[in-house]
Amino acid sequence: MTKQLEQLKQSAREANRHSYSPYSQFKVSAALRGDDGNIYSGVNVENASFGLSNCAERSAIFSALSAGASSFDTLVIYTPTATPVSPCGACRQVISEFAKQATVISICDSDQVRQHQISELLPADFDLNDYR
Ligand code: THU
């Protein structure tokens, strides 16, 4: 494994303790490296009004964008579970908006890993070109 990927995985694991998930008790965290070289992480942030909750993947992407970073090629998702967790549909759409070539790697507390291209997870996506 490359050192860069190892760093991303480590960042995703470390961020998990920041998850705000008192309702689901399901802690999710994610990390990506922006084109500025920095690593951005995010966690799921829930709300008493459930629909306002934000997933970890979108938190990480929005954090990177808010700091001025843009393109990224790898998104790591971590859950403290026995099996890896795939991004939800809403997050697939957001990942696709900002990183069509992204590799999505899900890790957990076992050796199991899921790795997919976002184009596999969300083929024929709806994007900016559809407005033209
Ligand atoms: N969650 C994520 O953060 N990412 C996903 O891809 C799946 C679901 C969060 C949302 C909610 O806070 C909790 O997991 C349970 O659905």
Side-chain angles (χ1 to χ4, degrees):
M1 191 192 316
T2 67
K3 192 178 168 204
Q4 290 219 330
L5 182 54
E6 188 51 43
Q7 283 176 334
L8 269 190
K9 290 185 175 181
Q10 190 58 30
S11 295
R13 287 182 189 278
E14 282 172 8
N16 198 263
R17 64 196 165 92
H18 299 304
S19 165
Y20 178 74
S21 42
Y23 304 100
S24 72
Q25 307 286 340
F26 192 66
K27 294 174 177 289
V28 188
S29 47
L32 59 90
R33 188 184 305 275
D35 57 353
D36 57 0
N38 293 323
I39 291 177
Y40 296 93
S41 58
V43 297
N44 56 331
V45 181
E46 298 183 346
N47 193 279
S49 178
F50 293 173
L52 301 182
S53 300
N54 202 56
C55 292
E57 298 89 325
R58 280 177 286 149
S59 294
I61 292 169
F62 295 158
S63 170
L65 294 168
S66 300
S70 51
S71 58
F72 62 94
D73 56 17
T74 308
L75 178 76
V76 173
I77 303 164
Y78 168 71
T79 46
T81 51
T83 53
V85 167
S86 289
C88 78
C91 289
R92 293 177 194 206
Q93 177 70 25
V94 173
I95 296 165
S96 195
E97 177 86 20
F98 297 105
K100 290 229 184 288
Q101 312 300 326
T103 304
V104 179
I105 302 173
S106 301
I107 59 172
C108 61
D109 284 344
S110 74
D111 288 339
Q112 287 187 47
V113 176
R114 266 188 215 163
Q115 178 168 330
H116 294 286
Q117 294 306 116
I118 188 61
S119 55
E120 296 175 78
L121 297 176
L122 188 68
D125 67 331
F126 174 62
D127 69 8
L128 193 60
N129 292 318
D130 294 311
Y131 286 96
R132 294 186 180 131

